[in-house]
Amino acid sequence: MSSTSKRIAAAALAVTLALSLSTCSNWSKRDRNTAIGAGAGAIGGSVLTHGSGLGTIGGAAVGGIIGHQVD
């Protein structure tokens, strides 16, 4: 990657992150826990299954359910 494309990618990532965080500001605690659980589950499922799509989706589903149930 060239230096210019790295800068563009970093800027796009920063804008996406800022927009994503601002849309979550009015979520309930349960909604945030569900999203965090789904994200953590997706990462865990992907790592445990060496990048399998099914493992990632399964991990996200299980993590989302667990996150939804946590108070």
Side-chain angles (χ1 to χ4, degrees), residues 39-61:
I43 292 170
S46 179
V47 168
L48 290 174
T49 61
H50 304 289
S52 164
L54 186 58
T56 303
I57 292 170

Side-chain angles (χ1 to χ4, degrees), residues 8-18:
I8 292 172
L13 180 62
V15 169
T16 303
L17 180 63

Side-chain angles (χ1 to χ4, degrees), residues 14-35:
V15 169
T16 303
L17 180 63
L19 288 174
S20 297
L21 291 176
S22 68
T23 60
C24 301
S25 63
N26 62 350
W27 283 11
S28 70
K29 186 173 181 174
R30 176 161 277 174
D31 291 340
R32 283 192 301 267
N33 287 344
T34 302

